[in-house]
Amino acid sequence: MGTSAAGGPPPTPGQALQLPAPTGPGPVGTTSLHLTDVSRPDPWATGVNARELMVSVWYPAASSGGQHARYMTPAESGLQLTSRGISGVPPDVLSTVRTNAVGDASPAGVQRSLPLVVLSPGFTNPRSTLTALAEDLASHGYVAAGIDHTYESFGTAFPDGRVTTCLAREGVRRDRGKKVVAGRAADVSFVLGELTSARQPWPGAALIDPSRMAMAGHSIGGAAAIAAMLADSRIRAGIDMDGTTHAPIPGHGLSRPFLFLGKPPGQGIPGKPGGPASTWERDWKLLTGWKRWLVVAGAVHASFTDLALLAEQVGIDSGAGARSLDITRAYVRAFFDQHLRGRPPALLDQPSRRYPEVTFCSPETGTGA
């Protein structure tokens, strides 16, 4: 999965693909929203004068009873697998992944009490690939909103039966990365506005504290966190999980908290991620607020999502999926606990015996801390 094109043996009968249980004390609910931004045309579909988005919201639920939500539709599963050249597994296998959140459960909480984290997936990936992270955040009292950036995923299903494909891959665009992150910044701002508006597109919207909103993303979704923060001051903190950045930070810098979380290098300076390293080095100097640069030994690009874990479960070797996902959830939540809740955890101050795979990188010296 991820970038692998190798097939593997299908799961044995009765063996369901499953996400790890959330680590928090509370039950989790989820719902899907179909939102339309009529103020701007779609950046990828010619002649489409509004931007339609599918958004999943994960949140603290009043109870754990009810049917668990579907991971993705069979059509989305088929497009994700065939577009990656993955064979040897049923095309609908990703639609059978066992999640932990109850679909359309009653939200729990008091008005304007819950911090909101927007999640942006990697290019060609759907919002569902960040489900394990979202469920974990919600179990600890966050609202997490995952955005499918239409025409940037291999497949996005809409309520009326339409399934859009990845138009953004068509043709060669030297500036495609810049266009993607700029469009995602606009998507994020629109979703923040919708979730905190008086219209309340979801019954739990009133629980969101609009003064405590942040963003995390994987790959180009992580790169888009910087673009979104530059465009929208409501985003108080951001995380880039292994994404080469594109949006230039102005010379006066970005003073809000930021975390780089990446895989080890293939080549180059020890202790730095391979792909994003050069852009992270450039941006590091312009991040003038609280910041960390963490590297996870044994991780690959997909390890910060559900994809590496699910690949392991269908027999595709893709790196330390389960362990890397545990680490991702721990450090992402620690970051948001500190910067949205004012609870500074020791986990972000120094290396941890619990997570020896994580190195604190010191770009100024070119070494791990």
Side-chain angles (χ1 to χ4, degrees):
M1 213 160 285
T3 58
S4 173
T12 57
Q15 178 187 3
L17 303 183
Q18 57 186 342
L19 299 180
T23 62
V28 178
T30 187
T31 193
S32 290
L33 306 176
H34 176 201
L35 304 177
T36 303
D37 184 355
V38 297
S39 71
R40 60 193 171 106
D42 192 279
W44 305 109
T46 304
V48 176
N49 295 320
R51 177 69 164 162
E52 292 184 81
L53 298 171
M54 289 302 300
V55 177
S56 287
V57 182
W58 293 266
Y59 52 89
S63 74
S64 58
Q67 185 173 357
H68 287 198
R70 185 163 58 179
Y71 188 69
M72 66 174 68
T73 69
E76 288 171 323
S77 175
L79 284 167
Q80 287 293 326
L81 294 173
T82 58
S83 299
R84 298 172 194 276
I86 296 174
S87 58
V89 295
D92 66 345
V93 68
L94 294 176
S95 71
T96 70
V97 173
R98 187 176 298 164
T99 68
N100 300 282
V102 174
D104 297 316
S106 296
V110 299
Q111 190 168 352
R112 297 171 71 92
S113 66
L114 303 181
L116 169 66
V117 176
V118 174
L119 300 175
S120 181
F123 193 64
T124 74
N125 289 344
R127 66 195 188 279
S128 56
T129 56
L130 297 174
T131 297
L133 174 59
E135 290 181 338
D136 194 64
L137 287 169
S139 76
H140 288 275
Y142 288 86
V143 175
I147 303 175
D148 243 329
H149 302 279
T150 313
Y151 300 115
E152 295 174 26
S153 169
F154 283 133
T156 301
F158 285 85
D160 62 5
R162 287 175 298 143
V163 181
T164 59
T165 57
C166 195
L167 296 182
R169 293 185 78 218
E170 297 179 2
V172 177
R173 294 183 175 93
R174 289 183 57 188
D175 62 344
R176 183 167 64 191
K178 292 181 179 179
K179 181 176 179 179
V180 168
V181 298
R184 292 192 176 203
D187 288 347
V188 169
S189 287
F190 169 69
V191 170
L192 290 180
E194 290 292 291
L195 289 178
T196 57
S197 73
R199 293 186 299 275
Q200 296 190 6
W202 160 61
L207 304 179
I208 295 171
D209 180 354
S211 72
R212 293 188 294 159
M213 302 192 296
M215 178 177 174
H218 171 247
S219 194
I220 205 162
I226 287 180
M229 291 176 74
L230 292 171
D232 195 327
S233 62
R234 294 175 297 177
I235 304 171
R236 287 182 48 180
I239 299 177
D240 179 353
M241 297 183 289
D242 214 47
T244 301
T245 56
H246 297 275
I249 299 175
H252 57 77
L254 178 62
S255 62
R256 279 164 278 162
F258 204 85
L259 171 66
F260 288 127
L261 181 65
K263 66 182 182 300
Q267 296 177 345
I269 300 172
K272 294 187 179 179
S278 61
T279 63
W280 287 11
E281 289 171 359
R282 176 199 67 204
D283 294 340
W284 182 262
K285 301 171 186 176
L286 293 167
L287 294 173
T288 59
W290 187 102
K291 58 186 177 182
R292 294 289 186 274
W293 180 334
L294 306 180
V295 177
V296 182
V300 296
H301 189 56
S303 297
F304 306 96
T305 74
D306 303 341
L307 292 176
L309 172 67
L310 296 176
E312 288 178 354
Q313 293 181 12
V314 297
I316 299 173
D317 183 11
S318 63
R323 178 61 175 171
S324 294
L325 190 54
D326 287 344
I327 291 169
T328 299
R329 298 200 301 182
Y331 280 87
V332 167
R333 181 167 58 85
F335 175 83
F336 290 129
D337 278 352
Q338 176 163 346
H339 298 295
L340 295 183
R341 286 178 158 160
R343 303 174 185 171
L347 196 60
L348 294 172
D349 291 336
Q350 59 191 354
S352 168
R353 291 183 179 179
R354 185 177 179 184
Y355 303 109
E357 302 94 332
V358 178
T359 298
F360 283 62
C361 188
S362 300
E364 292 85 357
T365 62
T367 63

